[in-house]
Amino acid sequence: MTLTSHRPQTESQAALPEPPIRQSRERKNPVAFVILLVVCAILFLPVLWLLLTALKSPQQLASDPITWIPTQPQVQNFIDATMILPFWAYAANSLFLSTVTGVLTTVSSALVGYGFARLNGKGKKVLFGILIAMMMTPPIITLIPTYLLFAKVGLVGTYWPWVLWGMAGAPYLIFLYRQFFAQLPRELEEAAILDGCGRLRIFVQIFLPLSKPVIITAFVLSFNGVWGDFIAPQLLLNQDNTTLAVAITTGYVNSQGFPVNNLLAAGAVLYVLPVLIMFFFVQRSYVRGFATSGMK
């Protein structure tokens, strides 16, 4: 009797106006939207200043008072930025290293993350503790020992260090995969084992297809890490085979050795475009990768 009288009341409540608490939250949304808009504008200011600098002439850059907005935008700066130095050759080097390292790191991190999440063995907790400690270690600490190691085996000046780094995986991405794989139901794996699937087949045919957002997130993070890296290419590569990040910082100078800021800004704008375009296409999967792994 109690149940039959309760059900119609619940359905009728769906047509009623929304509770006051939810209405009060919606009234706060415009304020939150304005705050987010202001924060985004502040964060975008350096990018806007970089774009305006790229469109200025040398006279406008040296003017006093400051010329905030160029009266005659110098689009030619972008063309000159690609002509003064072998811009596209350095961009190809960056693209090659970023792609190779991104693919290798994504695959190797997924394998190790699967092992931490679904396999048992002696020393697993110790290894996972070491992984967490490696996440907390600043990369600059290991850079000099790594350089000495690669110099000993004759890999300085080649792209092999990035291949080896990719095959070794990245601690943060391993942890990301581990968190995602640990949330998948155990019954899924047990049913596959009953059907005769091995561990590698379960990983390739069941776990990897379910982790597409995490795969995209891992690749984007790894790609951006190599694309934006300056120290490692500066330390390990030569001037001929270095990356675009290094070439831009040293390539736009005048005959006196001073930087040409408008060309430097134009080159920097072109430098960040591939990353922005990639993020524009994968932003939904990028966010889902963090959301589904429990890391926000």
Side-chain angles (χ1 to χ4, degrees), residues 15 173 184 207 291:
L173 299 183
L184 296 180
F207 280 75

Side-chain angles (χ1 to χ4, degrees), residues 139-158 161-162 165 231-238:
I140 193 68
I141 293 178
T142 60
L143 188 61
I144 298 302
T146 304
Y147 171 79
L148 295 176
L149 178 64
F150 287 142
K152 284 281 186 184
V153 296
L155 296 183
V156 173
T158 69
W162 281 265
W165 281 330
I231 298 178
Q234 176 73 3
L235 198 63
L236 295 173
L237 295 179
N238 303 319

Side-chain angles (χ1 to χ4, degrees), residues 67-82:
T67 302
W68 296 99
I69 299 176
T71 53
Q72 294 179 347
Q74 304 293 314
V75 183
Q76 183 66 28
N77 288 342
F78 293 96
I79 300 174
D80 293 341
T82 60

Side-chain angles (χ1 to χ4, degrees), residues 28-40:
K28 291 180 181 178
N29 285 340
V31 178
F33 178 76
V34 172
I35 293 174
L36 290 175
L37 196 63
V38 171
V39 172
C40 290

Side-chain angles (χ1 to χ4, degrees), residues 43-60:
L43 294 176
F44 186 71
L45 277 178
V47 181
L48 179 62
W49 182 248
L50 179 69
L51 184 60
L52 293 176
T53 303
L55 293 172
K56 291 179 182 178
S57 64
Q59 293 75 20
Q60 290 174 332

Side-chain angles (χ1 to χ4, degrees), residues 101-118:
T101 308
V103 171
L104 291 175
T105 305
T106 302
V107 175
S108 59
S109 299
L111 275 169
V112 181
Y114 174 76
F116 274 122
R118 314 302 292 199

Side-chain angles (χ1 to χ4, degrees), residues 214-238:
V214 184
I215 291 174
I216 293 175
T217 302
F219 178 78
V220 170
L221 290 175
S222 179
F223 184 94
N224 288 345
V226 178
W227 184 268
D229 188 17
F230 171 80
I231 298 178
Q234 176 73 3
L235 198 63
L236 295 173
L237 295 179
N238 303 319

